[in-house]
C-alpha cells in the first residue's frame, strides 16, 4: 500500500519561494501521476498541476503557470512542488496525491499526503 | 478550462434520511472513445486530506460503504447518501479529471 509523506510546515516571507516534498513508499512511484492540490484556510480544493515521473513531464493549472514548478526524482521516489513569488494569499495547506491509474492515465487521486502548511507572512 | 459547480453549498439532513449533492460541469466529461465519465467524488473531514469515494461517476472505491452512490453523465452528476450516518458529516467535492483536474467548490453536509 503506497503512502505519501510530505515535508514539514514552512513560514515564508512575501516574494520568496517554497519547495515542498512528497516521498512515496510501499508502492510504485514512477508510472503514476503525482498532483499537487492546495487548500487555503476554510476554503475548497484547488488543483495546481501534476507530473508523470517516468516521463518527467509536468502540466499546470493556468492560474499557476509561470509561478509553480513540479519535479520528481525517480531515484528517491520523491516529488517536489516549488511555488515562487509568494504572497499572503498563498497561505494554505499543500497536498500531494497520486493518480489511481498507471502510465499517466487521467485518473482521480488516492492516496493523498498528509498536507504541508505553508504560511506567507511578513 | 472546465468549471465545476456544486449545489447546494451546504445541506442539513436528518440521521437515516437521504442526502443528495449535485455537480455540474461546464463541458462534458464523457470521453466517447471509452464511454467513461471522468468524474470523481471526495469526502473531507476536518484536519484530514480528502478521501476518494467514487470515480468514473459511479464506481465506488474499495471500502466505501454502499450507502454512497454516484450517478449522472456528460455534464450533470449526483452523489447520494441513502441513509445518513453521523460519520458522514463532512465536506464533499466533485472533481473532473478529463483534462485538467478542477474541483467543485464543495458542499458542507451537516446533521439536522
Amino acid at each position: 500500500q503506497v503512502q505519501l509523506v510530505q515535508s514539514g510546515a514552512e513560514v515564508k516571507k512575501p516574494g520568496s519561494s517554497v519547495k515542498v516534498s512528497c516521498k512515496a513508499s510501499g508502492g510504485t512511484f514512477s508510472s503514476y501521476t503525482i498532483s499537487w492540490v492546495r487548500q487555503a484556510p476554510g476554503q475548497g480544493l484547488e488543483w495546481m498541476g501534476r507530473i508523470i515521473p517516468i516521463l518527467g513531464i509536468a502540466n499546470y493549472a493556468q492560474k499557476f503557470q509561470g509561478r509553480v514548478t513540479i519535479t520528481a526524482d525517480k531515484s528517491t521516489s520523491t516529488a517536489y512542488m516549488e511555488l515562487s513569488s509568494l504572497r499572503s494569499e498563498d497561505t494554505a495547506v499543500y497536498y500531494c496525491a497520486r493518480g489511481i491509474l498507471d502510465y499517466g492515465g487521467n485518473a482521480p487521486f488516492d492516496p493523498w499526503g498528509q498536507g504541508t502548511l505553508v504560511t506567507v507572512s511578513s | 478550462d472546465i468549471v465545476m459547480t456544486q449545489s447546494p453549498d451546504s445541506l442539513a439532513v436528518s440521521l437515516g434520511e437521504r442526502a443528495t449533492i449535485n455537480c455540474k460541469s461546464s463541458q462534458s466529461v464523457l470521453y466517447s472513445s471509452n464511454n467513461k465519465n471522468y468524474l470523481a467524488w471526495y469526502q473531507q473531514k476536518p484536519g484530514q486530506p480528502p478521501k476518494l469515494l467514487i470515480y468514473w461517476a459511479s464506481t465506488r472505491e474499495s471500502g466505501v460503504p454502499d450507502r454512497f452512490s454516484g450517478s449522472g453523465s456528460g455534464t450533470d452528476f449526483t452523489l447520494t447518501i441513502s441513509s445518513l450516518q453521523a460519520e458522514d458529516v463532512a465536506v464533499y467535492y466533485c472533481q473532473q479529471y478529463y483534462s485538467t483536474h478542477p474541483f467543485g467548490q464543495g458542499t458542507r453536509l451537516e446533521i439536522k
Side-chain angles (χ1 to χ4, degrees):
Chain A
Q1 184 92 356
V2 67
Q3 283 190 308
L4 302 179
V5 179
Q6 299 181 221
S7 50
E10 304 261 13
V11 179
K12 293 293 184 179
K13 300 285 189 190
S16 67
S17 298
V18 68
K19 192 170 186 176
V20 181
S21 68
C22 170
K23 184 173 176 60
S25 62
T28 305
F29 173 74
S30 294
S31 58
Y32 289 81
T33 61
I34 296 288
S35 281
W36 288 88
V37 176
R38 77 177 186 180
Q39 187 169 38
Q43 301 302 307
L45 303 170
E46 188 171 31
W47 181 77
M48 301 177 69
R50 70 172 192 176
I51 190 165
I52 308 167
I54 199 169
L55 300 177
I57 296 173
N59 58 296
Y60 305 111
Q62 194 167 6
K63 174 178 178 176
F64 298 100
Q65 285 275 2
R67 211 161 63 93
V68 67
T69 304
I70 296 173
T71 56
D73 182 341
K74 295 190 297 291
S75 68
T76 61
S77 298
T78 303
Y80 300 90
M81 185 283 300
E82 183 169 22
L83 187 63
S84 62
S85 303
L86 290 169
R87 36 209 187 231
S88 59
E89 310 90 89
D90 294 318
T91 294
V93 174
Y94 289 77
Y95 294 102
C96 63
R98 195 185 83 161
I100 67 171
L101 296 179
D102 61 4
Y103 292 99
N106 290 334
F109 306 154
D110 182 65
W112 293 61
Q114 82 275 19
T116 296
L117 176 62
V118 175
T119 302
V120 183
S121 174
S122 54
Chain B
D1 281 359
I2 296 180
V3 176
M4 310 301 290
T5 303
Q6 292 180 225
S7 62
D9 289 334
S10 64
L11 181 61
V13 174
S14 300
L15 289 173
E17 295 299 305
R18 178 185 301 259
T20 302
I21 299 170
N22 300 301
C23 175
K24 187 173 185 67
S25 174
S26 61
Q27 298 176 36
S28 176
V29 299
L30 175 61
Y31 193 38
S32 56
S33 68
N34 60 10
N35 201 35
K36 287 182 179 289
N37 286 284
Y38 284 58
L39 190 284
W41 289 96
Y42 297 84
Q43 175 193 66
Q44 188 180 31
K45 297 181 179 180
Q48 297 182 18
K51 173 187 174 183
L52 178 63
L53 296 176
I54 286 170
Y55 56 98
W56 303 130
S58 61
T59 299
R60 206 178 298 116
E61 175 73 323
S62 175
V64 172
D66 62 8
R67 64 180 179 273
F68 291 90
S69 64
S71 63
S73 184
T75 61
D76 293 280
F77 300 90
T78 300
L79 173 70
T80 301
I81 307 172
S82 60
S83 176
L84 189 70
Q85 305 299 303
E87 61 265 32
D88 300 334
V89 170
V91 180
Y92 292 83
Y93 296 92
C94 63
Q95 179 203 31
Q96 74 84 12
Y97 48 97
Y98 183 80
S99 55
T100 57
H101 297 66
F103 293 87
Q105 79 276 18
T107 295
R108 186 174 301 275
L109 178 57
E110 300 172 332
I111 305 292
K112 186 188 291 184

